[in-house]
Amino acid sequence: MNAVQEDIRSGLADIVNEIAGVPHEDVLPHKTFADDLDVDSLSMVEVVVAAEERFGVTIPDEAAGRMKTVSDAIDYILAQH
Amino acid sequence: MQPIDRKVVVTGVGATTPLGGDSTTTWQGLMAGRSAVRLLTHDWAADTPVKIGAQIAVEPADCLSRTEARKLDRSAQFALIAAREAWADAGFTAPAGEDTSVNPDRLGVVVASAIGGVTSLLQQYDILRDQGVRKVSPHTIPMMLPNTQGANVGLALNARAGVHSPVSACASGAESVGYAIDMIRTGRADIVVAGGTEAAIHPLNMAGFGNMMAMSKRNDDPAAASRPYDSARDGFVIGEGAGVVVLESAEHARRRGARVYAEAVGQGLSSDSHHITQPEPTGRGIAAALTALLDSSDLTAAEVVHVNAHATSTPRGDVAEVKALRKVLGDAMDHVAVSATKSMTGHLLGGAGGVETVATVLALHHRLAPPTINLDDLDPEVEADIVRGVPRALPDGPIAAVNNSFGFGGHNVVLAFRTV
């Protein structure tokens, strides 16, 4: 991961920690939101809205639906920058 | 075939109230005759004519994880805290199934409120108006539905025999306990966690109740504002919190060697069909509920020694209730110690029936009737033996107690418990 990717990962980790209570250091790129991080479908909507605000991007529902892992989210956010 | 013993007993109690964060501290507050009514700390109280209430003693954020709390309406937070206490008090160490002494298929939950997830509904409406659609929480609907408290307690305890939230305004908590008794009686469940909760201290409710002239405006003396049966009473004082009990078939409790607080003898239900908010002045509907209780159970008027009255401190309601009690209990009413615990807790609306069920059960268990405070000048129309100022010892031997709850809409629910 380069520095930009790490910044996004760290920002997502803050969000997931706030919403799902998962320790910051456990929010790693290969982790899946639903199974590994216990973010259910309703909470995932919260994660997406918080990520939009934090990173200044727009994440349509279809794109959000394809974000299975933290890495998917990092890649999508990076591509919007 | 042996007849099945469908007797229902209470094996656990839990509460979080303006007097304390659990049933023990709540009971201690009641015994001490302590008022929990204060000036409200909310900023908006500067603009509402009624500025007093009984806020929860221990904020739920101190008892729940942040991630758990953020998906729950405040009323469901209270319910979950009270339910977990009752569950542990009944001797269970984990949700049903995980604790192998409880079969999830035989566990029910009946927990309700008067106004549902009203705080969440209004908060999210503010967000919709001020910040737009995208910012509305995806948890809004399950947080505001009127079944939100029962549903979340059921989920937390892994209840699969049925989860219900019967809504009947300020009788909701008592109706829940009554429904739970029936679930066990009819064989639908062996254990039912039941009670009531409310979190409705919000400016909209304060404005609405205030404008209907239902609330005390004794802002200059909050601790004296809730004064059931006193000649100078001028309305109820809002409170918040929850009370929950674990009901269990006597057979199931016996099998697992559970500690039993009391028997849940039965319930009586009726409706006034008189006015949407005003009590029927003669107490006709309340008397019908009390009569239904006596007719449908083995309870006799003679064994009733204590009533935890609905008594909200409104001019009309307090009198109608006492008239009904005297009409149905007759001469037996002379040896009934009547307590109005709302004088200390305020009126917890849908939570009242739950908290007062806990108080009634503990009164039998400890053989002590809680006091009614602020009763300086007894209304001459109140022909009852009110427990004034300090607790009163209840007699030895088998005794029973009645817990009354009534709600806007004319709902009358009376519950009876007896020592075992």
Side-chain angles (χ1 to χ4, degrees):
Chain A
M1 255 193 323
N2 62 35
V4 180
Q5 287 171 317
E6 171 51 27
D7 274 356
I8 297 173
R9 187 210 65 82
S10 177
L12 286 169
D14 288 347
I15 292 168
V16 172
N17 174 260
E18 171 67 24
I19 289 167
V22 178
H24 193 275
E25 61 275 18
D26 289 353
V27 184
L28 297 169
H30 67 278
K31 296 281 180 79
T32 61
F33 288 105
D35 296 329
D36 297 334
L37 302 177
D38 206 21
V39 177
D40 67 16
S41 60
L42 296 183
S43 296
M44 189 64 197
V45 178
E46 289 187 284
V47 169
V48 166
V49 172
E52 285 183 326
E53 184 159 306
R54 178 157 187 146
F55 302 110
V57 297
T58 302
I59 306 173
D61 292 346
E62 309 80 65
R66 287 193 296 271
M67 286 179 187
K68 304 299 181 201
T69 64
V70 175
S71 181
D72 294 341
I74 295 171
D75 292 347
Y76 187 88
I77 292 162
L78 204 52
Q80 301 297 303
H81 269 278
Chain B
M1 199 172 122
Q2 287 284 321
I4 298 167
D5 182 0
R6 292 286 183 212
K7 200 160 84 170
V8 179
V9 294
V10 182
T11 55
V13 296
T16 182
T17 73
L19 287 170
D22 57 25
S23 60
T24 303
T25 50
T26 297
W27 178 251
Q28 287 165 350
L30 293 173
M31 288 297 104
R34 188 157 58 78
S35 170
V37 181
R38 308 269 186 280
L39 276 174
L40 292 173
T41 53
H42 311 76
D43 294 340
W44 50 255
D47 301 320
T48 51
V50 175
K51 304 176 191 306
I52 54 176
Q55 292 176 245
I56 200 85
V58 178
E59 274 299 320
D62 298 342
C63 313
L64 299 171
S65 76
R66 184 167 43 83
T67 50
E68 193 167 46
R70 67 200 307 280
K71 295 180 192 174
L72 297 173
D73 181 73
R74 188 171 169 84
S75 64
Q77 295 175 0
F78 295 156
L80 187 56
I81 290 165
R84 282 187 174 145
E85 184 198 346
W87 189 246
D89 187 50
F92 302 121
T93 55
E98 207 175 313
D99 182 323
T100 53
S101 66
V102 189
N103 176 355
D105 295 337
R106 302 291 302 161
L107 171 67
V109 165
V110 193
V111 179
S113 71
I115 327 187
V118 64
T119 313
S120 299
L121 188 161
L122 293 166
Q123 277 172 349
Q124 293 301 320
Y125 182 73
D126 288 345
I127 290 172
L128 172 69
R129 191 189 50 207
D130 300 338
Q131 301 175 47
V133 172
R134 190 68 171 158
K135 290 294 172 60
V136 171
S137 168
H139 302 289
T140 301
I141 302 299
M143 286 169 82
M144 74 183 213
L145 289 174
N147 67 336
T148 189
Q149 306 92 3
N152 280 293
V153 171
L155 204 53
L157 299 179
N158 197 22
R160 300 183 184 180
V163 169
H164 308 276
S165 297
V167 171
S168 49
C170 299
S172 298
E175 184 153 349
S176 294
V177 174
Y179 192 97
I181 293 171
D182 276 354
M183 280 181 79
I184 296 171
R185 285 260 166 81
T186 55
R188 282 185 57 199
D190 295 325
I191 303 176
V192 182
V193 175
T197 181
E198 201 79 62
I201 302 181
H202 182 283
L204 181 75
N205 301 318
M206 297 301 284
F209 281 126
N211 289 350
M212 69 193 289
M213 314 296 278
M215 293 175 120
S216 170
K217 293 193 174 73
R218 199 181 286 260
N219 296 323
D220 57 344
D221 193 2
S226 187
R227 44 196 312 115
Y229 308 127
D230 186 85
S231 297
R233 67 191 184 278
D234 68 331
F236 80 87
V237 175
I238 197 167
E240 62 177 357
V244 173
V245 292
V246 174
L247 297 170
E248 192 166 353
S249 78
E251 192 181 317
H252 194 275
R254 199 162 41 238
R255 264 205 319 264
R256 70 181 186 92
R259 180 250 344 257
V260 173
Y261 282 104
E263 178 191 354
V265 182
Q267 64 178 321
L269 303 165
S270 76
S271 45
D272 282 351
S273 196
H274 168 72
H275 186 275
I276 193 65
T277 56
Q278 285 169 14
E280 196 284 321
T282 67
R284 159 174 58 75
I286 299 167
L290 289 163
T291 302
L293 166 67
L294 292 172
D295 289 350
S296 65
S297 68
D298 61 356
L299 183 77
T300 62
E303 64 182 320
V304 178
V305 299
H306 170 53
V307 171
N308 188 309
H310 185 62
T312 63
S313 184
T314 60
R316 293 187 195 182
D318 292 8
V319 171
E321 180 179 12
V322 168
K323 281 182 185 166
L325 282 166
R326 187 155 285 283
K327 185 174 167 192
V328 177
L329 297 180
D331 293 343
M333 188 61 185
D334 293 336
H335 60 73
V336 173
V338 177
S339 301
T341 48
K342 289 185 182 80
S343 60
M344 295 168 278
T345 62
H347 185 2
L348 275 62
L349 312 183
V355 170
E356 287 155 27
T357 290
V358 170
T360 306
V361 166
L362 289 179
L364 288 174
H365 180 67
H366 296 297
R367 290 183 189 266
L368 280 170
T372 303
I373 65 167
N374 297 321
L375 181 45
D376 300 330
D377 176 32
L378 183 67
D379 181 336
E381 281 200 84
V382 175
E383 291 180 56
D385 181 6
I386 313 295
V387 182
R388 296 170 74 157
V390 291
R392 186 189 302 173
L394 294 172
D396 295 334
I399 54 173
V402 168
N403 171 23
N404 290 344
S405 288
F406 318 125
F408 284 169
H411 309 275
N412 303 305
V413 181
V414 302
L415 301 168
F417 302 88
R418 66 155 70 92
T419 50
V420 288

